[in-house]
């Protein structure tokens, strides 16, 4: 019988005869210090040049320890929409931009066909422009990207009747960055069967969690990735540019809505001061090979606003992804989450995190590497 309703543990102890009550104390165990897996500095350096001012009156929570507040995820699907005025819940958007996120939600989130509690997928909109297909010109641009082309929607050897709902697409293809896989898929048809092919090709785990051992072989196969399907998505490539993602979801929370654009401008300015070339145009649909080791190579970066990622009370919220090709950077292949970022921190983040590969502890919310291992401090 559990007697915790009235009086808690003291009530239980008082009901036990004193002759049976024994006090025991745990012996002290020395736990060896485990250094973090990444270089760390305690505080963000003060700016050495003028920076923008934060908006007045923002109610930012300053007391809580935010170390470890990053949500657990195995993959972030960063959908390119070319805008930042999404509704509070991005899957309730009535525009064509929401076609992919709605279908991914139904397939991968709770009760979906591919839902896996040990492989969480985070769906996020971004302000990055989508790569355009010549057959579907976006309302956000007047001409298609050079070299762009559509993706086959059916696989060789499959019954053509299974793809009939894809023969007459209703919405243009979508584009997405996949992180920490560090892949970009320029053309993702948004018809149901094509989205399911995308999930099986890129988003399912390559290896199941040990808790799935009790499943049948058929059930396991449903939840496992089929990488050979990636060939259907023409132009899919590795990401070689730095990605700086800033929550600017103003329709979800005013703090990020006001601070996000200011941080975006500040990051762009400070990156350019470090001779990092900024990319604003949509990536082309053709696969690109970038040799970062070639003499004279100039690093590139994209800075964009993204939808809700949790923790609006710690605005500004920033995720920095350093591509694996930056092999000399200790954070190559990793994503670092920061909170309570103000304009005064941007120069330090660019210099210490993006250029030197060091995590700033006072701003750290969490991190993830390309093996989906969580970075802890």
């Amino acid at each position: 019988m559990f007697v915790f309703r009235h009086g808690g543990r003291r009530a239980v102890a008082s009901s036990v005869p004193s002759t049976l009550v024994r006090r025991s104390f745990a012996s002290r165990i020395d736990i060896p210090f485990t250094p973090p897996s990444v270089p760390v500095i305690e505080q963000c350096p003060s700016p050495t040049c003028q920076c923008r001012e934060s908006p007045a009156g923002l109610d930012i929570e300053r007391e809580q320890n935010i170390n470890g507040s990053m949500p657990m995820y195995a993959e972030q699907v960063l959908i390119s929409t070319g805008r930042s005025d999404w509704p509070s819940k991005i899957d309730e958007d009535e525009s064509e931009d929401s076609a992919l996120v709605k279908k991914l939600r139904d397939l991968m989130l709770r009760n979906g066909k591919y839902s896996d509690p040990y492989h969480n997928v985070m769906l996020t909109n971004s302000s990055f422009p989508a790569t355009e297909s010549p057959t579907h010109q976006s309302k956000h641009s007047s001409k298609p990207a050079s070299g762009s082309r559509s993706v086959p929607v059916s696989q060789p050897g499959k019954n053509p009747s299974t793809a009939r709902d894809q023969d007459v697409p209703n919405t243009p293809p979508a584009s997405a960055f996949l992180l920490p896989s560090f892949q970009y898929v320029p053309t993702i048809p948004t018809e149901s069967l094509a989205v399911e092919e995308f999930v099986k090709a890129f988003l399912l785990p390559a290896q199941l969690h040990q808790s799935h051992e009790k499943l049948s072989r058929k059930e396991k196969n449903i939840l496992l990735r089929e990488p050979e399907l990636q060939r259907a998505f023409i132009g899919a490539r590795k990401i070689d540019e730095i990605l700086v993602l800033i929550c600017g979801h103003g329709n979800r929370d005013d703090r990020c809505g006001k601070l996000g654009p200011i941080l975006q401008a500040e990051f762009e300015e400070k990156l350019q001061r470090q001779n990092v070339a900024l990319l604003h145009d949509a990536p082309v649909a053709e696969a690109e090979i970038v040799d970062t080791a070639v003499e004279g190579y100039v690093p590139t970066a994209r800075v964009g606003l993204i939808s809700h990622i949790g923790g609006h009370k710690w605005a500004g919220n920033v995720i920095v992804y350093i591509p694996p090709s930056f092999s000399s950077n200790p954070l190559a292949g990793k994503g670092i989450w920061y909170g309570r970022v103000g304009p005064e921190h941007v120069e330090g983040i660019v210099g210490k995190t993006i250029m030197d590969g060091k995590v700033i502890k006072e701003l750290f919310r969490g991190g993830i590497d390309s093996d989906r291992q969580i970075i802890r401090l």
Side-chain angles (χ1 to χ4, degrees):
M1 182 177 68
F2 295 93
V3 193
F4 291 103
R5 182 173 301 171
H6 303 291
R9 295 181 183 274
R10 292 185 179 179
V12 175
S14 64
S15 66
V16 178
S18 60
T19 56
L20 298 181
V21 175
R22 296 288 185 271
R23 288 193 176 188
S24 61
F25 298 92
S27 59
R28 179 175 177 175
I29 300 175
D30 291 326
I31 301 176
F33 171 72
T34 302
S37 60
V38 293
V40 177
I41 59 174
E42 290 292 322
Q43 294 184 318
C44 189
S46 299
T48 62
C49 58
Q50 187 174 4
C51 57
R52 293 164 176 77
E53 293 184 1
S54 293
L58 296 182
D59 183 19
I60 308 299
E61 197 282 322
R62 302 286 182 184
E63 301 299 324
Q64 188 175 349
N65 181 5
I66 61 175
N67 191 336
S69 65
M70 178 193 81
M72 301 287 286
Y73 67 102
E75 197 79 73
Q76 181 176 17
V77 181
L78 191 68
I79 302 169
S80 301
T81 70
R83 47 185 281 243
S84 58
D85 58 339
W86 317 287
S88 178
K89 294 183 179 180
I90 59 175
D91 58 351
E92 294 180 354
D93 194 345
E94 295 302 323
S95 74
E96 61 189 22
D97 294 326
S98 66
L100 180 61
V101 73
K102 286 179 179 178
K103 289 183 171 65
L104 289 176
R105 175 203 61 189
D106 292 341
L107 288 169
M108 301 214 67
L109 299 190
R110 184 176 299 177
N111 299 323
K113 179 178 179 179
Y114 300 106
S115 175
D116 183 347
Y118 303 102
H119 188 83
N120 293 325
V121 174
M122 181 166 56
L123 306 179
T124 312
N125 277 354
S126 79
S127 63
F128 298 140
T131 300
E132 295 181 18
S133 166
T135 57
H136 291 98
Q137 290 197 24
S138 169
K139 64 184 179 182
H140 305 301
S141 177
S142 59
K143 62 180 180 178
S146 174
S148 62
R149 51 183 175 171
S150 60
V151 173
V153 294
S154 61
Q155 296 295 313
K158 288 191 175 183
N159 186 341
S161 65
T162 62
R164 60 181 176 270
D165 75 329
Q166 298 174 341
D167 293 336
V168 185
N170 296 319
T171 58
S175 304
F177 293 83
L178 310 180
L179 302 152
S181 290
F182 287 91
Q183 288 182 294
Y184 177 70
V185 186
T187 312
I188 308 167
T190 53
E191 292 73 40
S192 297
L193 290 181
V195 174
E196 190 164 354
E197 294 280 283
F198 170 69
V199 168
K200 293 189 289 186
F202 293 98
L203 302 186
L204 297 183
Q207 183 176 355
L208 294 180
H209 190 273
Q210 60 184 6
S211 298
H212 289 311
E213 284 301 316
K214 60 184 178 180
L215 298 179
S216 68
R217 172 50 54 187
K218 181 179 179 180
E219 291 171 325
K220 290 179 181 179
N221 287 341
I222 291 176
L223 296 177
L224 280 171
R225 183 180 305 176
E226 299 179 44
E228 66 275 8
L229 298 179
Q230 295 181 11
R231 292 192 298 267
F233 295 84
I234 297 172
R237 64 167 177 87
K238 291 293 184 182
I239 296 171
D240 291 300
E241 61 263 41
I242 300 158
L243 295 180
V244 179
L245 313 177
I246 307 158
C247 183
H249 201 166
N251 287 328
R252 187 67 178 258
D253 190 281
D254 199 41
R255 288 166 288 194
C256 284
K258 290 181 177 178
L259 193 54
I262 295 174
L263 293 177
Q264 182 181 22
E266 193 72 22
F267 268 105
E268 290 182 343
E269 177 187 312
K270 297 305 188 287
L271 283 166
Q272 288 180 309
R273 290 192 178 203
Q274 292 284 353
N275 296 319
V276 176
L278 297 178
L279 302 176
H280 295 105
D281 294 336
V284 297
E286 298 292 341
E288 299 174 336
I289 299 176
V290 179
D291 185 1
T292 60
V294 68
E295 184 177 355
Y297 171 75
V298 176
T300 59
R302 295 183 186 274
V303 182
L305 299 178
I306 61 173
S307 60
H308 177 63
I309 53 173
H312 282 306
K313 62 183 178 181
W314 302 314
N317 287 290
V318 175
I319 312 174
V320 177
Y321 284 105
I322 308 294
S325 55
F326 283 76
S327 55
S328 61
N329 189 311
L331 298 180
K334 298 176 174 61
I336 303 300
W337 287 53
Y338 285 141
R340 300 189 184 121
V341 175
E344 68 276 13
H345 299 121
V346 172
E347 182 186 1
I349 293 173
V350 170
K352 295 302 180 181
T353 298
I354 295 177
M355 305 308 297
D356 294 346
K358 297 178 180 178
V359 171
I360 302 170
K361 187 174 181 180
E362 70 167 324
L363 305 174
F364 184 69
R365 288 190 59 188
I368 189 170
D369 65 22
S370 54
D371 294 323
R372 278 82 180 170
Q373 297 299 310
I374 301 302
I375 300 171
R376 304 183 187 280
L377 299 184

